[in-house]
Amino acid sequence: MSAAADADDLAEMASLKAAKQHLRSMMKQRLGALSHEVIMAQSSTVSNTLRTFRPYVEARRISVFLSMPFGEIQTDVIVRHALDSGKEVFVPYLHKNPVSLPTLPARAMDMVRLRDVSDYESLQPDRWGIPSIDPATVHERQRIFGGPDAHHSDQTLLDLVLMPGVAFDTGPSGTIRRLGHGKGFYDYFISRHNDKAASLGKEPRILLYGLALSEQFLSSPSEGSVPVGPLDQPLDGLILGNGDIKSPAQNKTA
């Protein structure tokens, strides 16, 4: 590749990064204006919608993000319902990336299983107020990238991932696009999950659904659009705090 092409690629990456950061700043202001009551009401709508949503009902092994106390859908009720329903519930766990390459994030995300509601209630908040897995217990837990162990992590794959985000929209081709917090944890996790499925001779059929406050969905061009790069994973759908379910135009599932 020529030096000119390299310079063009770097300029494109810088432009994409700047566009994403601009949208994050805009959304931070918008979401910061929402009251606790509005967020809890929308969270209740999302959790009630999920209870009869077929991909969730049929999923046996799911991942659910654990919420910050502000600015996003609160998932406490969802986690409790999933555990009470007999689903295997996995939650994010961040750790040092065992693969050290300049092109990969320094930290990676695994999903580790909650044992039951009591186990969930024992989690302590981190510096952002998010309930978090105690690193001292990780080796005792079933997890997606744990490797061969007594918990059968080497065979573990997820059916459904319920994902957070900063902003979402529908792209020109009908895809559901997501803007994350900029660390690449979910995109990298999904790529590794697909690789693991392939190594086990299985189709990478994991379903990816975002959960979002209505204010996080950019419904018109005047609100802007979600900038995406080649590593950004499109979603199978999005459940909003007003009860709407957004699906890709070419693959209606709701």
Side-chain angles (χ1 to χ4, degrees), residues 202-224:
K202 298 180 180 180
E203 292 292 327
R205 299 186 65 181
I206 185 173
L207 294 175
L208 309 174
Y209 277 85
L211 306 181
L213 300 163
S214 299
E215 290 78 5
Q216 292 179 280
F217 183 70
L218 306 178
S219 57
S220 67
S222 64
E223 294 184 288

Side-chain angles (χ1 to χ4, degrees), residues 43-59 62 74-85 87 160 162 211 239 243 245:
S43 299
S44 178
T45 297
V46 167
S47 63
N48 288 334
T49 300
L50 267 178
R51 294 186 185 199
T52 57
F53 185 51
R54 189 170 66 185
Y56 171 79
V57 172
E58 295 180 352
I62 72 170
Q74 301 298 291
T75 58
D76 176 77
V77 173
I78 296 169
V79 172
R80 293 174 185 275
H81 179 268
L83 288 167
D84 289 341
S85 300
K87 298 183 186 299
L160 171 68
L162 300 177
L211 306 181
I239 301 175
I245 301 175

Side-chain angles (χ1 to χ4, degrees), residues 225-238:
S225 61
V226 172
V228 294
L231 299 180
D232 294 313
Q233 297 277 350
L235 302 184
D236 293 287
L238 175 66

Side-chain angles (χ1 to χ4, degrees), residues 62-83 89-94 109-114 116-117 119-126 128-134 141 161-165 181 186 211:
I62 72 170
S63 161
V64 187
F65 70 93
L66 301 181
S67 308
M68 297 183 293
F70 51 84
E72 64 183 3
I73 290 294
Q74 301 298 291
T75 58
D76 176 77
V77 173
I78 296 169
V79 172
R80 293 174 185 275
H81 179 268
L83 288 167
V89 180
F90 290 71
V91 297
Y93 172 72
L94 300 177
M109 182 173 68
D110 201 349
M111 297 292 178
V112 299
R113 186 179 176 185
L114 295 174
D116 50 33
V117 172
D119 183 30
Y120 167 59
E121 291 176 342
S122 74
L123 302 185
Q124 298 299 307
D126 64 11
W128 295 283
I130 302 171
S132 300
I133 296 290
D134 182 350
R141 298 176 182 272
V161 177
L162 300 177
M163 302 171 63
H181 290 277
Y186 273 94
L211 306 181

